[in-house]
Amino acid sequence: MTASRDYAALAQRGLSLDLTRGKPSPRQLDLSNDMLRLPESYHAADGTDARNYGDLQGLPELRELFGPLLQVPPAQVVVGGNASLALMHDTVVHALLGKVPGAERRWVEEPEITFLCPVPGYDRHFTICERLGITMVAVPMGPDGPDMDVVERLVASDPKVKGMWCVPKYSNPSGVVYSDETVRRLAAMPAAAPDFRIFWDNAYAVHHLTDTPAELADLLALCAAHGNPDRALVYGSTSKVTLAGAGVSFFGSSPANVEWFLANTRKQSIGPDKLNQLRHVEFLRDADGVAAHMRRHAELIAPKFELVDRVLTKELGGLATWTSPRGGYFISLEVPHAAEVVARAKAAGIALTPAGATHPYGEDPDDRVIRIAPTYPELDELEQAILGLTVCVRLVAEERA
Ligand code: PLP
């Protein structure tokens, strides 16, 4: 009965707390306030006037800064606008409407196409597929990445499988880092579709929470080494490095894919916002500058991850399992009857990402995964929200006992 009493008290408090989206907190955004006074010069290193049209691929100095961080040769990096999600969306649209290198026809001419979706995964990847009529097939994640036996079987046997979503480092939401062996198998596996592509969303490439950064094998290089040079499409952005609403994004791939991508984007734009690109170069400077900046982020958010872990351990013990990620933005909580827990939390004023959002079509067959995004609220609010969430977990467990 303690849980019902605690829940009644929780509901009485009239809370309004939000743990839904992985947003940087205002204090994190403050770390980049100096950018608002940049760039000091509107001339790029080669003298280009950054105020004008042109340079579709992006300034070389910014590509040289972020290429190595994303494991892409700078000459094969394209700089986009503030959302890497838009680059991913547009890549799929371009593949639907214009033949990707190696394809027999445009994807829109195929009777059906399928993407593999490791679960739990990122809901906005799934939304792109839903919007563009792509069938999704869930593949379970393990501690080293997706179940590669399942992936290899599906990719080798079914030519409808044209794509696969991957968040290889500090995955959203599980925090998993793909092992070297997983990356090697992804690069080497035979594919029934000659135009099979891996959407390698390395959104958390530099987002470490500890002093021992995870290392990720180089998918692009491994694909080339295994005779599949056009397989990997790499994405990243500075959304959670500098300013989530005013960062820069990156696409990187083989020379053939980059040429194909630029040929398509040339019809959309005469050139990107190079002043923002210069602003990023002046502010971050080099790889050491990025690492120092990311350490300041970690100082602000690592205590939030520790707090969540501490409260869950104290309050839930054997009732649930959860991840303790070494980087990224999310904790994945697994509980029985997740949808009911989320509904109870909502009724008590604690907003969580809808249960099921971590799975294609919003359907978590085990009804277990709840994604916790701890970065935005300050510590006191976060503690209240997580304590409240644990009350809801205990309540549902008590009612279902
Ligand atoms: N990819 C992943 C895995 C994410 O978690 C997020 C944001 O939460 C994004 C992409 C969005 O990136 P961007 O702001 O560059 O569109």
Side-chain angles (χ1 to χ4, degrees):
M1 291 311 288
T2 27
S4 351
R5 217 178 39 232
D6 291 349
Y7 186 75
L10 178 73
Q12 284 254 310
R13 291 176 60 197
L15 296 176
S16 174
L17 301 169
D18 191 341
L19 289 179
T20 53
R21 297 237 70 100
K23 291 202 291 193
S25 68
R27 288 176 70 204
Q28 286 179 270
L29 298 172
D30 286 346
L31 296 175
S32 299
N33 274 352
D34 284 350
M35 280 185 82
L36 303 177
R37 285 177 285 279
L38 299 173
E40 275 173 355
S41 156
Y42 47 79
H43 284 113
D46 64 0
T48 298
D49 186 336
R51 299 170 303 177
N52 219 329
Y53 275 141
D55 220 332
L56 190 64
Q57 193 174 350
L59 295 179
E61 52 266 52
L62 186 59
R63 293 189 277 114
E64 270 152 31
L65 172 52
F66 274 91
L69 302 177
L70 292 168
Q71 299 166 301
V72 181
Q76 291 160 232
V77 173
V78 177
V79 186
N82 73 321
S84 60
L85 200 65
L87 292 176
M88 296 177 230
H89 174 276
D90 285 359
T91 311
V92 181
V93 172
H94 296 325
L96 283 161
L97 300 181
K99 258 182 4 163
V100 300
E104 281 152 6
R105 49 185 168 261
R106 304 180 302 152
W107 285 3
V108 77
E109 292 168 82
E110 302 282 348
E112 186 184 2
I113 64 173
T114 298
F115 271 33
L116 304 187
C117 302
V119 291
Y122 178 38
D123 55 346
R124 291 184 192 268
H125 289 161
F126 307 153
T127 316
I128 290 176
C129 284
E130 281 209 71
R131 151 144 214 260
L132 298 174
I134 295 169
T135 308
M136 290 178 273
V137 173
V139 175
M141 283 282 275
D144 291 327
D147 183 330
M148 283 308 298
D149 292 341
V150 175
V151 171
E152 282 169 347
R153 184 169 46 75
L154 290 169
V155 172
S157 63
D158 185 354
K160 291 197 297 302
V161 178
K162 298 286 191 192
M164 174 174 179
W165 294 111
C166 295
V167 184
K169 204 192 249 189
Y170 310 133
S171 201
N172 176 352
S174 63
V176 164
V177 181
Y178 287 23
S179 70
D180 290 355
E181 179 59 5
T182 298
V183 181
R184 191 199 58 75
R185 286 172 75 177
L186 285 168
M189 65 188 173
D195 47 351
F196 170 72
R197 293 292 189 275
I198 295 174
F199 288 73
W200 197 245
D201 179 2
N202 203 354
Y204 301 106
V206 293
H207 304 58
H208 318 294
L209 287 169
T210 74
D211 294 332
T212 49
E215 299 284 342
L216 182 67
D218 182 341
L219 180 73
L220 193 58
L222 284 166
C223 284
H226 283 92
N228 299 309
D230 298 330
R231 178 171 291 181
L233 306 170
V234 179
Y235 302 89
S237 77
T238 65
S239 290
K240 289 157 184 169
V241 176
T242 55
L243 302 173
V248 282
S249 60
F250 305 97
F251 165 75
S253 194
S254 65
N257 283 339
V258 168
E259 199 179 306
W260 167 82
F261 186 85
L262 286 173
N264 287 303
T265 40
R266 200 160 284 128
K267 285 151 196 135
Q268 289 180 291
S269 169
I270 310 173
D273 177 353
K274 293 181 293 301
L275 289 176
N276 200 28
Q277 297 184 14
L278 265 186
R279 186 175 294 131
H280 277 77
V281 175
E282 285 186 8
F283 181 66
L284 295 167
R285 293 184 182 279
D286 52 24
D288 288 344
V290 174
H293 190 71
M294 293 316 291
R295 272 196 296 278
R296 289 192 275 277
H297 278 290
E299 279 163 21
L300 292 174
I301 64 175
K304 298 183 181 182
F305 283 80
E306 283 155 20
L307 172 80
V308 173
D309 197 60
R310 205 162 52 240
V311 174
L312 294 179
T313 306
K314 180 158 174 281
E315 301 295 324
L316 291 184
L319 278 184
T321 56
W322 59 92
T323 53
S324 307
R326 292 169 54 213
Y329 259 57
F330 302 100
I331 291 168
S332 188
L333 173 68
E334 290 203 23
V335 287
H337 315 296
E340 208 173 315
V341 171
V342 171
R344 294 302 190 125
K346 186 174 180 195
I350 303 167
L352 293 159
T353 312
T358 52
H359 287 63
Y361 310 107
E363 285 163 18
D364 174 359
D366 300 322
D367 189 20
R368 284 194 73 83
V369 180
I370 296 177
R371 186 182 85 162
I372 298 176
T375 55
Y376 189 82
E378 286 310 320
L379 283 168
D380 51 344
E381 279 210 343
L382 178 64
E383 184 165 20
Q384 289 186 57
I386 300 297
L387 269 171
L389 170 60
T390 63
V391 170
C392 300
V393 173
R394 289 194 288 111
L395 176 75
V396 171
E398 194 175 272
E399 287 176 348
R400 296 282 190 144

